[in-house]
Amino acid sequence: MNLVIQQRGMTLGVHDGSYQARSRDGEKMIPPGPVRSIALHPGTKITHEAVLVAMNHETDILFMDHRGFPIARVWSPKFGSIATIRKHQVLFARSPDAVTWVKGMLLRKIDNQLAILSMLPAWDSLHGQELQADEIAVGKIRGYFEETTSAQLEEVAGKFRNLEARASKRYWQAISRALPDAYRYSKRSQHPAEDMFNCLLNYAYGMLYGIVEGALIQAGLDPYLGIFHRDEYNRPSLAFDFIEPFRVWADYVVIKLCMDQVIFREFFDIQPGSFLLNASGKQVLIPTMNEYLNEVVTQQGLARSRREHIQREAHQFATTLKSPFLSFNETTEAP
């Protein structure tokens, strides 16, 4: 269970051992045991007692900004208690294994983009041939990824970025073409979003970033020690690496909402060249996104929620870093 505190003025406290969410509309009691994360949006509060209960239950607390991105978090000191994982994380980033890992994550991202593109003609029969051409073009770019090999990530990182950007550009062009007229856009825009679709997508990505970063921390990984994305001040580069194959889940939710035409301009605070999701919009997107992430799906023979699949993959990656990996030790000379 993921507890979202978003109504302005709402306070999360504790009463008789349970969380107490109080707002102008009343109060609600929530047992702490099932709660795995708490997301606090602007204009909300949490008490000291609620933080202690969350820490005792190893519950992640996220503070979100107005775009839906986590800007701070509080987590249990029990998370990530094995420093060996983080030490080996640095070594892994410089090893040949990093090339294989990055290539695999990006290929999964493109495969998921191709899956979305294959669905678009069913939603938009008017542009079927054009959408098929887009799918073929992205498929060709995937082939270039398959052909690219190297023992060092620095040698192929630039090519990987170029191919990923080309695939994404064609992907987003196809999606815009297939959307109903009211939701079409000229380009991907982030800060700020310049249209309804990009505003929704940015917010959904923010929710997904929070989940991914939390999964990395719980697994003992340092989200700021990136492998493929460049290190930048105050940016969780590993979370940006790790989210790539999971972005499609946010894509699908936003595309489906727009295809169903249940998103309206009244859901946004609009300024010249800027769209910001307001309370009405959040009431539609947040529960829809959470419901989708909590849906049980089968991957690698295991039936888990999408959220749990992210956590499982983070723990699997951390497990591989608990022991030194031979490829780095064998190919790197001592200084």
Side-chain angles (χ1 to χ4, degrees):
M1 176 181 177
N2 307 285
L3 186 57
V4 179
I5 308 298
Q6 70 175 55
Q7 184 178 336
R8 187 167 291 275
M10 181 176 285
T11 298
L12 185 67
V14 174
H15 182 71
D16 289 339
S18 292
Y19 293 122
Q20 181 185 49
R22 292 178 295 170
S23 70
R24 58 179 178 272
D25 299 324
E27 65 180 45
K28 182 178 181 180
M29 306 302 295
I30 304 108
V35 178
R36 305 315 313 142
S37 69
I38 300 171
L40 294 118
H41 289 253
T44 63
K45 300 177 181 178
I46 186 170
T47 67
H48 177 273
E49 290 75 16
V51 172
L52 291 183
V53 169
M55 295 303 98
N56 287 335
H57 286 82
E58 298 185 29
T59 301
D60 201 15
I61 301 176
L62 294 86
F63 295 85
M64 318 298 286
D65 67 9
H66 63 280
R67 298 171 297 130
F69 277 74
I71 56 173
R73 69 193 318 140
V74 180
W75 67 82
S76 168
K78 298 178 183 178
F79 292 172
S81 58
I82 303 176
T84 303
I85 296 173
R86 295 185 289 281
K87 292 177 181 177
H88 288 173
Q89 188 179 335
V90 177
L91 301 178
F92 179 86
R94 297 172 55 196
S95 76
D97 294 309
V99 180
T100 303
W101 185 81
V102 170
K103 184 176 180 179
M105 298 293 271
L106 293 176
L107 283 173
R108 286 170 59 192
K109 176 182 180 177
I110 293 178
D111 285 340
N112 289 334
Q113 290 177 335
L114 287 168
I116 290 288
L117 292 178
S118 70
M119 299 169 60
L120 293 181
W123 280 325
D124 177 31
S125 59
L126 294 177
H127 300 89
Q129 291 185 339
E130 294 166 289
L131 295 172
Q132 186 178 28
D134 292 325
E135 184 178 353
I136 292 172
V138 174
K140 287 182 178 179
I141 295 171
R142 188 197 187 283
Y144 299 147
F145 259 112
E146 287 276 19
E147 297 169 0
T148 304
T149 59
S150 175
Q152 296 298 323
L153 185 58
E154 303 86 57
E155 296 175 356
V156 292
K159 185 173 183 179
F160 280 177
R161 292 188 181 99
N162 178 265
L163 291 172
E164 188 274 336
R166 287 169 56 192
S168 292
K169 182 178 180 180
R170 195 68 183 257
Y171 170 73
W172 291 119
Q173 287 175 347
I175 289 172
S176 180
R177 182 184 293 115
L179 290 173
D181 290 346
Y183 308 106
R184 290 181 182 172
Y185 52 90
S186 60
K187 62 178 181 179
R188 273 288 288 134
S189 56
Q190 298 183 50
H191 310 301
E194 298 176 0
D195 52 76
M196 291 191 291
F197 181 88
N198 278 292
C199 183
L200 288 169
L201 188 65
N202 294 342
Y203 204 97
Y205 279 165
M207 295 177 65
L208 198 57
Y209 274 119
I211 294 167
V212 167
E213 185 179 357
L216 296 174
I217 292 170
Q218 291 184 41
L221 296 157
D222 187 335
Y224 290 86
L225 290 176
I227 298 170
F228 178 59
H229 283 80
R230 297 182 178 92
D231 293 332
E232 295 184 32
Y233 180 75
N234 205 29
R235 285 172 62 86
S237 300
L238 184 64
F240 297 159
D241 293 338
F242 206 83
I243 198 175
E244 296 293 11
F246 304 110
R247 285 182 183 273
V248 68
W249 293 342
D251 298 352
Y252 177 81
V253 168
V254 173
I255 292 169
K256 187 68 166 58
L257 287 172
C258 293
M259 289 294 187
D260 291 344
Q261 301 189 57
V262 295
I263 299 298
F264 307 100
R265 291 179 69 87
E266 292 77 15
F267 291 173
F268 305 86
D269 294 329
I270 304 173
Q271 299 293 334
S274 173
F275 281 69
L276 188 65
L277 198 65
N278 62 27
S280 297
K282 292 175 185 177
Q283 289 174 3
V284 174
L285 177 60
I286 291 176
T288 304
M289 184 71 176
N290 279 327
E291 181 179 353
Y292 188 75
L293 292 173
N294 292 332
E295 181 182 3
V296 174
V297 295
T298 300
Q299 291 188 352
Q300 298 180 339
L302 291 176
R304 300 284 190 277
S305 72
R306 291 183 175 90
R307 193 183 299 266
E308 289 172 325
H309 280 299
I310 293 174
Q311 295 169 344
R312 179 174 175 271
E313 187 160 333
H315 280 281
Q316 286 180 326
F317 184 50
T319 298
T320 66
L321 298 181
K322 287 183 180 179
S323 300
F325 27 91
L326 294 177
S327 56
F328 180 80
N329 292 336
E330 292 174 349
T331 59
T332 304
E333 297 180 358

